[in-house]
mmCIF file of all heavy atoms in Angstrom:
data_model
loop_
_atom_site.group_PDB
_atom_site.id
_atom_site.type_symbol
_atom_site.label_atom_id
_atom_site.label_comp_id
_atom_site.label_asym_id
_atom_site.label_seq_id
_atom_site.Cartn_x
_atom_site.Cartn_y
_atom_site.Cartn_z
ATOM 1 N N VAL E 590 -0.016 1.763 3.911
ATOM 2 C CA VAL E 590 0.036 0.816 2.802
ATOM 3 C C VAL E 590 -0.943 -0.320 3.083
ATOM 4 O O VAL E 590 -0.955 -0.892 4.176
ATOM 5 C CB VAL E 590 1.462 0.273 2.601
ATOM 6 C CG1 VAL E 590 1.477 -0.815 1.527
ATOM 7 C CG2 VAL E 590 2.411 1.398 2.228
ATOM 8 N N GLY E 591 -1.781 -0.624 2.116
ATOM 9 C CA GLY E 591 -2.790 -1.661 2.287
ATOM 10 C C GLY E 591 -4.182 -1.115 2.568
ATOM 11 O O GLY E 591 -5.168 -1.841 2.474
ATOM 12 N N LYS E 592 -4.271 0.154 2.900
ATOM 13 C CA LYS E 592 -5.577 0.746 3.179
ATOM 14 C C LYS E 592 -6.338 1.010 1.880
ATOM 15 O O LYS E 592 -5.745 1.103 0.803
ATOM 16 C CB LYS E 592 -5.417 2.032 3.996
ATOM 17 C CG LYS E 592 -4.958 1.783 5.443
ATOM 18 C CD LYS E 592 -4.950 3.049 6.255
ATOM 19 C CE LYS E 592 -4.544 2.800 7.700
ATOM 20 N NZ LYS E 592 -5.592 2.061 8.447
ATOM 21 N N ILE E 593 -7.666 1.157 2.026
ATOM 22 C CA ILE E 593 -8.544 1.325 0.867
ATOM 23 C C ILE E 593 -9.001 2.771 0.769
ATOM 24 O O ILE E 593 -9.460 3.363 1.750
ATOM 25 C CB ILE E 593 -9.769 0.393 0.958
ATOM 26 C CG1 ILE E 593 -9.319 -1.067 1.138
ATOM 27 C CG2 ILE E 593 -10.650 0.536 -0.283
ATOM 28 C CD1 ILE E 593 -8.452 -1.602 0.013
ATOM 29 N N LYS E 594 -8.883 3.331 -0.431
ATOM 30 C CA LYS E 594 -9.303 4.711 -0.675
ATOM 31 C C LYS E 594 -10.836 4.769 -0.835
ATOM 32 O O LYS E 594 -11.476 3.734 -1.073
ATOM 33 C CB LYS E 594 -8.621 5.252 -1.940
ATOM 34 C CG LYS E 594 -7.102 5.399 -1.796
ATOM 35 C CD LYS E 594 -6.488 6.134 -2.971
ATOM 36 C CE LYS E 594 -6.388 5.247 -4.197
ATOM 37 N NZ LYS E 594 -5.645 5.908 -5.299
ATOM 38 N N PRO E 595 -11.410 5.961 -0.709
ATOM 39 C CA PRO E 595 -12.870 6.091 -0.859
ATOM 40 C C PRO E 595 -13.414 5.548 -2.178
ATOM 41 O O PRO E 595 -14.568 5.108 -2.235
ATOM 42 C CB PRO E 595 -13.088 7.607 -0.758
ATOM 43 C CG PRO E 595 -11.963 8.092 0.102
ATOM 44 C CD PRO E 595 -10.784 7.239 -0.284
ATOM 45 N N ASP E 596 -12.595 5.566 -3.247
ATOM 46 C CA ASP E 596 -13.072 5.042 -4.539
ATOM 47 C C ASP E 596 -12.941 3.529 -4.646
ATOM 48 O O ASP E 596 -13.248 2.946 -5.688
ATOM 49 C CB ASP E 596 -12.328 5.723 -5.693
ATOM 50 C CG ASP E 596 -10.830 5.386 -5.725
ATOM 51 O OD1 ASP E 596 -10.362 4.578 -4.881
ATOM 52 O OD2 ASP E 596 -10.122 5.929 -6.597
ATOM 53 N N GLY E 597 -12.466 2.882 -3.570
ATOM 54 C CA GLY E 597 -12.353 1.429 -3.550
ATOM 55 C C GLY E 597 -10.998 0.886 -3.952
ATOM 56 O O GLY E 597 -10.728 -0.312 -3.792
ATOM 57 N N SER E 598 -10.119 1.727 -4.479
ATOM 58 C CA SER E 598 -8.782 1.268 -4.864
ATOM 59 C C SER E 598 -7.880 1.185 -3.634
ATOM 60 O O SER E 598 -8.149 1.786 -2.587
ATOM 61 C CB SER E 598 -8.170 2.192 -5.910
ATOM 62 O OG SER E 598 -8.035 3.505 -5.407
ATOM 63 N N LYS E 599 -6.788 0.454 -3.783
ATOM 64 C CA LYS E 599 -5.918 0.134 -2.646
ATOM 65 C C LYS E 599 -4.627 0.946 -2.695
ATOM 66 O O LYS E 599 -4.068 1.195 -3.765
ATOM 67 C CB LYS E 599 -5.602 -1.366 -2.666
ATOM 68 C CG LYS E 599 -4.861 -1.888 -1.450
ATOM 69 C CD LYS E 599 -4.694 -3.401 -1.571
ATOM 70 C CE LYS E 599 -3.984 -3.994 -0.372
ATOM 71 N NZ LYS E 599 -3.815 -5.472 -0.514
ATOM 72 N N ILE E 600 -4.169 1.354 -1.518
ATOM 73 C CA ILE E 600 -2.844 1.975 -1.391
ATOM 74 C C ILE E 600 -1.817 0.846 -1.421
ATOM 75 O O ILE E 600 -1.666 0.111 -0.450
ATOM 76 C CB ILE E 600 -2.721 2.776 -0.075
ATOM 77 C CG1 ILE E 600 -3.771 3.880 0.011
ATOM 78 C CG2 ILE E 600 -1.309 3.337 0.078
ATOM 79 C CD1 ILE E 600 -3.535 5.060 -0.874
ATOM 80 N N GLU E 601 -1.136 0.684 -2.544
ATOM 81 C CA GLU E 601 -0.195 -0.417 -2.708
ATOM 82 C C GLU E 601 1.193 -0.092 -2.161
ATOM 83 O O GLU E 601 1.954 -0.982 -1.776
ATOM 84 C CB GLU E 601 -0.073 -0.794 -4.189
ATOM 85 C CG GLU E 601 -1.379 -1.231 -4.830
ATOM 86 C CD GLU E 601 -1.784 -2.646 -4.444
ATOM 87 O OE1 GLU E 601 -1.011 -3.316 -3.719
ATOM 88 O OE2 GLU E 601 -2.879 -3.073 -4.874
ATOM 89 N N LYS E 602 1.535 1.190 -2.149
ATOM 90 C CA LYS E 602 2.853 1.628 -1.680
ATOM 91 C C LYS E 602 2.753 3.079 -1.231
ATOM 92 O O LYS E 602 1.739 3.748 -1.473
ATOM 93 C CB LYS E 602 3.893 1.467 -2.783
ATOM 94 C CG LYS E 602 3.507 2.110 -4.108
ATOM 95 C CD LYS E 602 4.478 1.737 -5.218
ATOM 96 C CE LYS E 602 4.017 2.360 -6.540
ATOM 97 N NZ LYS E 602 4.930 2.026 -7.648
ATOM 98 N N VAL E 603 3.801 3.566 -0.585
ATOM 99 C CA VAL E 603 3.759 4.927 -0.062
ATOM 100 C C VAL E 603 3.564 5.941 -1.187
ATOM 101 O O VAL E 603 2.913 6.969 -0.996
ATOM 102 C CB VAL E 603 5.023 5.241 0.763
ATOM 103 C CG1 VAL E 603 5.115 6.730 1.096
ATOM 104 C CG2 VAL E 603 5.024 4.434 2.055
ATOM 105 N N ALA E 604 4.105 5.652 -2.370
ATOM 106 C CA ALA E 604 3.914 6.564 -3.506
ATOM 107 C C ALA E 604 2.431 6.778 -3.789
ATOM 108 O O ALA E 604 2.008 7.887 -4.158
ATOM 109 C CB ALA E 604 4.617 6.023 -4.737
ATOM 110 N N ASP E 605 1.611 5.733 -3.610
ATOM 111 C CA ASP E 605 0.161 5.866 -3.807
ATOM 112 C C ASP E 605 -0.444 6.775 -2.739
ATOM 113 O O ASP E 605 -1.357 7.555 -3.018
ATOM 114 C CB ASP E 605 -0.517 4.492 -3.753
ATOM 115 C CG ASP E 605 -0.045 3.563 -4.854
ATOM 116 O OD1 ASP E 605 0.410 4.069 -5.896
ATOM 117 O OD2 ASP E 605 -0.134 2.340 -4.668
ATOM 118 N N TYR E 606 0.038 6.638 -1.509
ATOM 119 C CA TYR E 606 -0.445 7.482 -0.413
ATOM 120 C C TYR E 606 -0.098 8.948 -0.671
ATOM 121 O O TYR E 606 -0.932 9.840 -0.490
ATOM 122 C CB TYR E 606 0.174 6.991 0.895
ATOM 123 C CG TYR E 606 -0.203 7.785 2.137
ATOM 124 C CD1 TYR E 606 -1.537 7.983 2.492
ATOM 125 C CD2 TYR E 606 0.785 8.306 2.964
ATOM 126 C CE1 TYR E 606 -1.874 8.690 3.639
ATOM 127 C CE2 TYR E 606 0.454 9.017 4.118
ATOM 128 C CZ TYR E 606 -0.885 9.207 4.452
ATOM 129 O OH TYR E 606 -1.203 9.910 5.588
ATOM 130 N N VAL E 607 1.120 9.188 -1.145
ATOM 131 C CA VAL E 607 1.556 10.546 -1.457
ATOM 132 C C VAL E 607 0.693 11.142 -2.572
ATOM 133 O O VAL E 607 0.271 12.305 -2.504
ATOM 134 C CB VAL E 607 3.046 10.563 -1.852
ATOM 135 C CG1 VAL E 607 3.452 11.924 -2.413
ATOM 136 C CG2 VAL E 607 3.920 10.221 -0.642
ATOM 137 N N MET E 608 0.414 10.345 -3.598
ATOM 138 C CA MET E 608 -0.417 10.836 -4.703
ATOM 139 C C MET E 608 -1.858 11.046 -4.245
ATOM 140 O O MET E 608 -2.523 12.007 -4.669
ATOM 141 C CB MET E 608 -0.365 9.853 -5.870
ATOM 142 C CG MET E 608 -1.004 10.381 -7.150
ATOM 143 S SD MET E 608 -0.316 11.977 -7.706
ATOM 144 C CE MET E 608 1.385 11.498 -8.045
ATOM 145 N N TYR E 609 -2.336 10.184 -3.355
ATOM 146 C CA TYR E 609 -3.679 10.347 -2.799
ATOM 147 C C TYR E 609 -3.787 11.665 -2.030
ATOM 148 O O TYR E 609 -4.771 12.400 -2.162
ATOM 149 C CB TYR E 609 -4.001 9.160 -1.890
ATOM 150 C CG TYR E 609 -5.241 9.339 -1.037
ATOM 151 C CD1 TYR E 609 -6.522 9.262 -1.588
ATOM 152 C CD2 TYR E 609 -5.134 9.588 0.329
ATOM 153 C CE1 TYR E 609 -7.658 9.430 -0.801
ATOM 154 C CE2 TYR E 609 -6.255 9.764 1.121
ATOM 155 C CZ TYR E 609 -7.518 9.680 0.552
ATOM 156 O OH TYR E 609 -8.636 9.851 1.334
ATOM 157 N N ILE E 610 -2.756 11.974 -1.245
ATOM 158 C CA ILE E 610 -2.750 13.232 -0.491
ATOM 159 C C ILE E 610 -2.784 14.427 -1.448
ATOM 160 O O ILE E 610 -3.471 15.414 -1.204
ATOM 161 C CB ILE E 610 -1.514 13.294 0.431
ATOM 162 C CG1 ILE E 610 -1.691 12.325 1.599
ATOM 163 C CG2 ILE E 610 -1.272 14.710 0.951
ATOM 164 C CD1 ILE E 610 -0.458 12.176 2.462
ATOM 165 N N LEU E 611 -2.060 14.322 -2.558
ATOM 166 C CA LEU E 611 -2.070 15.402 -3.542
ATOM 167 C C LEU E 611 -3.453 15.563 -4.162
ATOM 168 O O LEU E 611 -3.980 16.672 -4.270
ATOM 169 C CB LEU E 611 -1.026 15.146 -4.627
ATOM 170 C CG LEU E 611 -0.965 16.182 -5.755
ATOM 171 C CD1 LEU E 611 -0.590 17.565 -5.216
ATOM 172 C CD2 LEU E 611 0.034 15.753 -6.838
ATOM 173 N N GLU E 612 -4.049 14.444 -4.557
ATOM 174 C CA GLU E 612 -5.322 14.505 -5.276
ATOM 175 C C GLU E 612 -6.504 14.771 -4.353
ATOM 176 O O GLU E 612 -7.445 15.462 -4.727
ATOM 177 C CB GLU E 612 -5.535 13.190 -6.040
ATOM 178 C CG GLU E 612 -4.516 12.983 -7.156
ATOM 179 C CD GLU E 612 -4.585 11.604 -7.773
ATOM 180 O OE1 GLU E 612 -5.242 10.707 -7.170
ATOM 181 O OE2 GLU E 612 -3.981 11.398 -8.844
ATOM 182 N N GLU E 613 -6.458 14.233 -3.141
ATOM 183 C CA GLU E 613 -7.582 14.363 -2.213
ATOM 184 C C GLU E 613 -7.457 15.593 -1.319
ATOM 185 O O GLU E 613 -8.424 16.324 -1.101
ATOM 186 C CB GLU E 613 -7.687 13.103 -1.341
ATOM 187 C CG GLU E 613 -8.821 13.112 -0.327
ATOM 188 C CD GLU E 613 -10.188 12.944 -0.967
ATOM 189 O OE1 GLU E 613 -10.271 12.447 -2.103
ATOM 190 O OE2 GLU E 613 -11.188 13.315 -0.294
ATOM 191 N N ALA E 614 -6.232 15.822 -0.798
ATOM 192 C CA ALA E 614 -6.020 16.929 0.143
ATOM 193 C C ALA E 614 -5.399 18.149 -0.517
ATOM 194 O O ALA E 614 -5.323 19.214 0.088
ATOM 195 C CB ALA E 614 -5.132 16.451 1.294
ATOM 196 N N HIS E 615 -4.894 17.975 -1.740
ATOM 197 C CA HIS E 615 -4.240 19.058 -2.480
ATOM 198 C C HIS E 615 -3.027 19.594 -1.706
ATOM 199 O O HIS E 615 -2.822 20.798 -1.591
ATOM 200 C CB HIS E 615 -5.231 20.178 -2.806
ATOM 201 C CG HIS E 615 -6.376 19.728 -3.649
ATOM 202 N ND1 HIS E 615 -7.625 20.293 -3.583
ATOM 203 C CD2 HIS E 615 -6.454 18.732 -4.575
ATOM 204 C CE1 HIS E 615 -8.435 19.673 -4.432
ATOM 205 N NE2 HIS E 615 -7.741 18.733 -5.045
#
């Protein structure tokens, strides 16, 4: 939480990290 994604947006909560894993890592 708090880290920055490659597109410049921020991981605001774990739900964002989970969605990032789905979209980036499938």
Side-chain angles (χ1 to χ4, degrees):
V590 175
K592 290 186 178 290
I593 305 300
K594 294 189 284 187
D596 66 3
S598 61
K599 188 177 181 181
I600 301 287
E601 300 284 357
K602 52 189 178 180
V603 170
D605 298 335
Y606 179 55
V607 170
M608 190 55 63
Y609 168 74
I610 288 172
L611 178 62
E612 294 171 346
E613 180 72 20
H615 300 150

